[in-house]
Amino acid sequence: MRAWSRPVRTEHARSVLGDAPSLTLYDDRSGTVRDVTPAGDVRLYVCGITPYDATHIGHAATYVAFDLAVRAWTEAGHRVHYVQNVTDVDDPLLQRAAETGEDWAALAERETELFRTDMEALAVVPPDHFVGAVEAIPIIVDLVEELGRREATYRVDDDLYFPIAADPQFGSVSRLGREEMLALFPGRGGDPDRAGKRDPLDPLLWRRQREGEPAWPTALGPGRPGWHVECTAIARHYLGAAFDVQGGGSDLSFPHHEMSASHAHVADPAVEFAKAYVHAGMVGYRGEKMSKSLGNLVLVSALRADDVDPRAIRLALLGQYYRADWEWTDEVLDTGLKRLSRWSEAVKRGGPDAGSCALDVRAALADDLDAPRALAAVDAWTESGGHVIEGAADLVRAVVADSLGVSL
């Protein structure tokens, strides 16, 4: 599956300042902010969309956050191997297609294309591998068969499930207790009440074909994959074992990242799945978490259709700390619009020496992606007086473009 075009990098800030500091991020599994940067190349997996509706601000906030990480690593001199999936066959997608009468595959492609255009407009660096679940079915089947050889599958009717009891490390990613898991599981794609399961928390690996549903002929029988095993298979195939960061929204910590890690732990007990688990906060709107199921969405495409500058949308997102929960309001967007105008005018007229400003931006981002602090550093330069120094505005323009992803 193709991704989208890559934004142009200036490389000017790095040529003037050298490599940026090493990136630290909050790892949910350890509960600490720590250096997650290896000595060489970085391997990043971020869970992608289920394309049954357009990209909302909550999605955009997550992908912009991990885009900051990609940019910070790149500015620090690392090659980033970035993989993102698209769950282009799953229950919510099929349900939406049934409700609207649209072909499910056409719906998935249309919404995936809209996601691409939204990400491109927001200057998000694309993944190296943008992989749909449908195209990944052969490697998913291989993983399920490996779990079967390790006696870590069982049947409920004709469906295959994974026993969480097979993984001694289960629970180590989300660090939730069993009662907390049971409370979250039904609302996050789980089926705890299905008769015949060994444990209510056991996740689906392979769903045998139902009448009217798409299915693929495989060694497991005709059917389609479960959600969690999809990401396990794609991450292991494209990044290998013990990759550096598994990312996504905080609602993915359990069950999705917990289950994905368990599949990997059992398939290859000698190695870990991801070295760190990093999660972006949830975005609310009108008092509720923004979600497709609730329908309280602010769509990136709708803002763009109203001629809102995507750079202002991105600045509005950057004004929020990435792992905090926050509320989208008209005031948040207005702040982004005003900041874009103020910064654009400032780099046109020029200003004082910008070395400290550029270093402060990089330092803030290296410190667990503290984008609000980075924005404040640029604000301070734009508001400072003094003589105009030749090249200062060029350095500000470069660090804002390459580190923050906003072209001025």
Side-chain angles (χ1 to χ4, degrees):
M1 180 179 288
R2 66 178 180 84
W4 53 93
S5 65
R6 185 174 294 270
V8 176
R9 292 188 58 80
T10 74
E11 298 292 349
H12 179 61
R14 193 168 168 218
S15 69
V16 172
L17 303 173
D19 287 344
S22 187
L23 177 62
T24 63
L25 292 171
Y26 181 83
D27 171 25
D28 271 346
R29 184 171 59 178
S30 67
T32 61
V33 174
R34 62 185 188 83
D35 193 332
V36 296
T37 305
D41 293 356
V42 179
R43 294 175 295 160
L44 169 70
Y45 186 93
V46 178
C47 294
I49 60 166
T50 301
Y52 65 93
D53 211 337
T55 315
H56 61 68
I57 287 294
H59 293 136
T62 294
Y63 298 116
V64 166
F66 287 100
D67 179 67
L68 287 181
V70 170
R71 290 171 178 276
W73 277 315
T74 302
E75 285 292 283
H78 297 274
R79 165 76 168 91
V80 182
H81 299 276
Y82 180 14
V83 178
Q84 188 180 131
N85 73 304
V86 179
T87 305
D88 54 357
V89 62
D90 201 13
D91 288 344
L93 173 66
L94 299 179
Q95 290 164 6
R96 178 61 58 84
E99 290 166 3
T100 61
E102 186 173 3
D103 175 74
W104 68 271
L107 171 62
E109 177 49 39
R110 175 166 55 79
E111 295 300 334
T112 301
E113 178 58 22
L114 184 54
F115 176 75
R116 292 185 186 103
T117 59
D118 285 339
M119 293 297 100
E120 189 170 305
L122 292 173
V124 172
V125 175
D128 299 287
H129 299 282
F130 191 51
V131 186
V134 171
E135 66 184 293
I137 283 175
I139 62 175
I140 296 170
V141 169
D142 288 346
L143 175 56
V144 175
E145 289 183 315
E146 176 59 31
L147 291 172
R149 287 190 289 272
R150 294 181 179 274
E151 300 183 347
T153 66
Y154 68 94
R155 290 193 178 275
V156 177
D157 300 324
D158 285 329
D159 299 333
L160 283 175
Y161 278 82
F162 172 82
I164 60 170
D167 177 23
Q169 299 182 59
F170 181 77
S172 63
V173 172
S174 63
R175 297 182 293 134
L176 295 177
R178 182 174 175 84
E179 292 307 312
E180 293 173 289
M181 292 181 181
L182 287 169
L184 291 171
F185 198 45
R188 295 183 177 177
D191 57 354
D193 298 326
R194 182 168 185 185
K197 289 176 61 174
R198 295 178 187 173
D199 188 301
L201 293 174
D202 288 348
L204 178 72
L205 291 170
W206 187 258
R207 179 178 169 90
R208 190 78 173 195
Q209 184 176 18
R210 279 21 173 212
E211 184 177 354
E213 291 188 359
W216 288 263
T218 73
L220 304 174
R224 57 185 172 90
W227 175 30
H228 314 303
V229 72
E230 167 196 343
C231 283
T232 313
I234 293 172
R236 292 171 82 237
H237 180 80
Y238 288 97
L239 294 175
F243 59 93
D244 297 294
V245 173
Q246 164 87 63
S250 59
D251 57 343
L252 296 184
S253 177
F254 182 85
H256 187 51
H257 289 169
E258 191 73 69
M259 302 299 187
S260 295
S262 278
H263 297 334
H265 295 159
V266 174
D268 191 350
V271 297
E272 59 186 332
F273 184 49
K275 296 177 183 177
Y277 293 84
V278 179
H279 298 108
M282 295 291 99
V283 181
Y285 184 57
R286 295 176 177 171
E288 298 279 356
K289 172 197 162 187
M290 197 179 293
S291 70
K292 295 176 181 178
S293 58
L294 292 175
N296 62 334
L297 304 179
V298 177
L299 304 177
V300 172
S301 56
L303 292 172
R304 291 169 51 219
D306 287 340
D307 293 325
V308 177
D309 193 318
R311 297 176 298 168
I313 300 172
R314 184 173 175 111
L315 281 170
L317 299 174
L318 294 178
Q320 323 305 313
Y321 186 43
Y322 85 98
R323 60 184 172 93
D325 295 342
W326 57 279
E327 185 95 357
W328 176 267
T329 64
D330 291 343
E331 289 75 20
V332 168
L333 178 57
D334 187 57
T335 298
L337 289 163
K338 289 177 178 176
R339 183 169 264 138
L340 177 62
S341 176
R342 193 167 64 248
W343 288 10
S344 297
E345 288 300 316
V347 295
K348 285 178 184 176
R349 68 173 182 263
D353 181 76
S356 294
C357 168
L359 291 171
D360 288 347
V361 168
R362 287 169 145 212
L365 295 176
D367 184 11
D368 196 25
L369 301 179
D370 193 346
R373 196 173 103 212
L375 300 190
V378 181
D379 286 340
W381 181 84
T382 64
E383 294 163 5
S384 61
H387 297 294
V388 173
I389 302 296
E390 183 179 356
D394 291 336
L395 181 56
V396 171
R397 188 182 285 110
V399 78
V400 169
D402 288 347
S403 293
L404 294 173
V406 179
S407 176
L408 297 176

